[in-house]
Amino acid sequence: MLQIDLWKRVLIWGVVALGLVLALPNAFYTRVEVHNDAMAAIELGADTPENQEKSAAWPTFLPSRLVNLGLDLRGGAHLLAEVKVADVYQTRLESFWPEVRDALRPERATVGTIRLQPSPPDELRVRISQPEGMTRAVELVRGLARPVVTLTGAGATDLDVRADGSDIVVTLSEAEKAATDERTMRQSLEIIRRRIDEVGTREPTIQRQGFDRILIQVPGIGSAAELKEIIGTTAQLTFQPVVGRAADAGAPAGAGNEVLPSLDEEGVFYILEQAPVVTGEDLVDAQPSFDQNGRPAVNFRFNPSGGRKFGDYTAENIGNPFAIVLDDEVISAPVIQSHIPGGSGIITGNFTVEESTNLAILLRAGALPAGLEFLEERTIGPELGQDSIDAGKVATLVAFVAVLVYMALSYGLFGLFANVALILNIALLFGMLSLIGATLTLPGIAGIVLTVGMAVDANVLVFERIREELKTAKGPARAIELGYEKALSAIVDANITTFITATILFVMGSGPVRGFAITLGLGILTSVFTAIFVTRLLIVIWFERRRPKTIEV
């Protein structure tokens, strides 16, 4: 018998209604987007009358999730950056010098005096005055090595230590270099993501490409230069002991020291110890504020480890200047007046309010572990994105109308049922894209157009089977029932293979390929649902009302 249980009918219409409600915000895209932006601003504390008015542009009881538009549709900036992973080797070795010095200092009777020597960026060279004590010195420095915590580096240590005449040469082991490279890339990805999130952009694409490259695409941003300004600022914050002042950048600094310019005082340079006491990696919070004179400043707070080191140093060096260095420039070098416990402090300088806010954002987002070299940069204007949207709309509309006309002419009333299901299919597809927060790109629109073409395939199979059953003189109800039963396996097989292909594209692909795979995969799910369940329900409802003796398909 051609019948569908009541609970199945309720379930089918319930799914359709839910899909339509979820897709509804996309029909009022600009209004909902203004509402969402205002709500996000209010949640961040900007509860102004203007934002309240904008948030009222869309009823709060309705869903407000939208299909995000990708870079090629909204316009924005595209960057391909290479991370200079080797920079981290030098930083690691420079920070290792105080440990080497402290380890050798108790053995001066054996190794003599200890001097840091100028050395290439990838090694640390320390000279002892009594070469006969080299064996003991190497043994002590090797004792500072730590195991490398990775699967590939199991059993290896992080340092290679060897003797070269009267010099101890320390380099990073190959296992440690590999582990450092991996950590640097992961940290760079995370910090870039946090910096972009801080400025409130929508749905950025931040992906690792190859060994040391990162792809960054941010829709809605003005230009590639603006994007570079957001993510390219290194924001390396260090707190370094001051050795002295100098009048030019070429002043002799001595081994283990460096000369850095003052940010505020033109022509003033500071000689600083290269090994910092605390770095920005120990920073857990930074907020814009004002100093005691009412000038913009930045409050900061260290984690327990950084706070302890900062407190110990200030306790032991009261009366000495202490430099706060940002990106190789001395922001300020205040004299330590007293012990500063608790791990918090304030950075002052000739900041504007905007500069102190930006500095707080950069510090809060963390410092990039290594520099970035931008290999490729493109700005995609919103006009080009609008052209893509218009072209996509035309393509979808033409495909849609062509399919509707073909189905109506080929299958008559049953073709109209299939057309209704096709319209519901597109609505359900947008509802699902909105629900999962997917990003729609130009290839994604191609996936929708392909879905429109494929969505009626299942109905064509069913209708052709019904035609065959009618030729065997079966009644209309029986022919419809057998048509759906016999076509089901072919429909499922065909769509499963396509769905597997879409899944592989999604897992293995990236960027535009994923966008295509998402719309294709979801389109298969919605089209199978509408073709098997919705059209059948429409036909059953029509059949129950009209009770035709014959049907034409």
Side-chain angles (χ1 to χ4, degrees):
M1 292 294 291
L2 186 62
Q3 60 181 7
I4 298 177
D5 296 336
L6 178 61
W7 70 271
K8 289 182 180 177
R9 300 184 187 211
V10 172
L11 182 61
I12 292 169
W13 288 129
V15 171
V16 171
L18 179 62
L20 291 174
V21 171
L22 289 174
L24 181 64
N26 296 287
F28 305 90
Y29 201 95
T30 305
R31 187 191 299 182
V32 178
E33 194 173 55
V34 170
H35 162 83
N36 290 346
D37 289 346
M39 291 298 292
I42 291 172
E43 288 179 5
L44 292 174
D47 191 3
T48 62
E50 185 182 3
N51 284 333
Q52 287 290 354
E53 183 182 349
K54 290 180 178 176
S55 68
W58 183 250
T60 54
F61 61 86
L62 288 175
S64 58
R65 295 177 72 99
L66 293 166
V67 176
N68 299 302
L69 298 181
L71 187 69
D72 49 359
L73 297 181
R74 181 183 287 274
H78 163 107
L79 292 175
L80 180 63
E82 183 178 83
V83 182
K84 298 179 179 176
V85 291
D87 288 357
V88 182
Y89 304 158
Q90 183 177 3
T91 307
R92 283 283 313 278
L93 290 170
E94 285 176 355
S95 64
F96 193 59
W97 156 239
E99 289 186 53
V100 174
R101 181 187 59 199
D102 294 344
L104 296 178
R105 191 172 281 165
E107 298 288 333
R108 274 187 174 167
T110 306
V111 302
T113 57
I114 311 154
R115 292 283 184 271
L116 180 66
Q117 299 300 305
S119 52
D122 59 346
E123 67 179 35
L124 179 72
R125 189 172 283 265
V126 179
R127 181 164 298 170
I128 58 176
S129 61
Q130 298 179 16
E132 59 273 19
M134 180 59 73
T135 303
R136 177 60 178 160
V138 169
E139 180 186 355
L140 288 170
V141 177
R142 279 181 179 158
L144 299 174
R146 291 178 283 268
V148 177
V149 189
T150 62
L151 290 176
T152 54
T157 59
D158 59 348
L159 298 176
D160 286 337
V161 183
R162 61 184 171 85
D164 182 12
S166 57
D167 290 352
I168 306 167
V169 180
V170 183
T171 56
L172 296 179
S173 66
E174 292 302 320
E176 177 60 16
K177 285 182 179 178
T180 300
D181 292 347
E182 186 63 26
R183 283 196 302 269
T184 302
M185 289 303 296
R186 289 187 179 185
Q187 192 178 353
S188 298
L189 282 166
E190 177 61 24
I191 288 171
I192 289 173
R193 191 182 309 280
R194 285 160 60 185
R195 287 184 178 181
I196 291 176
D197 287 346
E198 284 275 2
V199 295
T201 54
R202 299 187 186 89
E203 296 301 319
T205 299
I206 303 166
Q207 295 173 340
R208 180 173 179 176
Q209 287 203 337
F211 169 69
D212 57 356
R213 294 181 179 181
I214 298 176
L215 172 70
I216 309 147
Q217 293 180 329
V218 184
I221 205 163
S223 67
E226 186 180 342
L227 180 57
K228 284 169 66 177
E229 189 174 344
I230 293 172
I231 64 172
T233 307
T234 312
Q236 284 278 10
L237 182 71
T238 56
F239 295 79
Q240 296 173 235
V242 176
V243 177
R245 288 167 64 106
D248 63 86
N257 299 329
E258 61 184 348
V259 180
L260 296 180
S262 169
L263 180 67
D264 300 331
E265 303 167 275
E266 190 173 352
V268 174
F269 295 83
Y270 287 89
I271 301 173
L272 310 176
E273 289 187 17
Q274 282 182 328
V277 176
V278 196
T279 70
E281 293 181 1
D282 296 310
L283 208 65
V284 294
D285 191 22
Q287 296 291 338
S289 63
F290 295 91
D291 63 11
Q292 56 188 2
N293 297 317
R295 295 177 301 183
V298 176
N299 277 326
F300 63 86
R301 182 165 55 85
F302 289 120
N303 59 22
S305 171
R308 186 169 56 254
K309 287 188 283 189
F310 187 66
D312 291 346
Y313 185 82
T314 54
E316 296 167 1
N317 292 274
I318 294 174
N320 295 329
F322 191 41
I324 302 172
V325 181
L326 180 71
D327 292 341
D328 293 333
E329 287 186 312
V330 179
I331 294 178
S332 62
V335 175
I336 300 171
Q337 302 292 343
S338 61
H339 174 215
I340 306 176
S344 62
I346 185 170
I347 300 174
T348 59
N350 289 330
F351 301 129
T352 64
V353 173
E354 185 180 1
E355 286 172 344
S356 66
T357 303
N358 289 339
L359 177 58
I361 288 173
L362 289 172
L363 294 178
R364 202 163 53 237
L368 283 168
L372 298 177
E373 182 179 353
F374 295 101
L375 306 176
E376 187 180 303
E377 56 183 90
R378 288 202 307 271
T379 301
I380 300 172
E383 298 82 8
L384 183 59
Q386 189 59 48
D387 290 346
S388 301
I389 293 175
D390 294 340
K393 282 181 179 175
V394 171
T396 307
L397 193 61
V398 169
F400 204 71
V401 170
V403 171
L404 293 180
V405 171
Y406 174 80
M407 291 300 290
L409 293 178
S410 297
Y411 299 102
L413 180 63
F414 280 47
L416 294 178
F417 289 145
N419 289 341
V420 172
L422 179 59
I423 295 170
L424 293 176
N425 173 40
I426 298 300
L428 289 176
L429 176 56
F430 271 87
M432 290 187 71
L433 290 171
S434 303
L435 182 65
I436 65 174
T439 298
L440 183 64
T441 60
L442 202 55
I445 292 179
I448 293 175
V449 175
L450 182 59
T451 300
V452 169
M454 295 175 58
V456 293
D457 281 358
N459 289 127
V460 170
L461 284 172
V462 172
F463 296 160
E464 291 298 329
R465 295 298 300 185
I466 293 175
R467 278 180 177 175
E468 292 178 7
E469 296 301 328
L470 288 173
K471 289 177 183 175
T472 59
K474 291 190 173 64
R478 184 61 179 159
I480 294 171
E481 188 175 11
L482 288 175
Y484 273 97
E485 284 180 6
K486 293 184 177 179
L488 183 62
S489 61
I491 295 171
V492 171
D493 289 347
N495 284 283
I496 281 180
T497 52
T498 310
F499 188 77
I500 290 173
T501 305
T503 304
I504 293 172
L505 283 176
F506 179 78
V507 173
M508 305 295 292
S510 63
V513 177
R514 276 194 161 190
F516 176 78
I518 288 174
T519 53
L520 179 62
L522 294 180
I524 290 169
L525 294 177
T526 55
S527 64
V528 169
F529 171 76
T530 54
I532 294 179
F533 297 105
V534 177
T535 55
R536 184 173 185 174
L537 182 56
L538 290 172
I539 291 171
V540 169
I541 292 174
W542 167 79
F543 195 86
E544 289 173 346
R545 289 176 177 272
R546 297 296 179 88
R547 295 289 178 183
K549 299 297 181 185
T550 59
I551 57 174
E552 293 185 6
V553 180

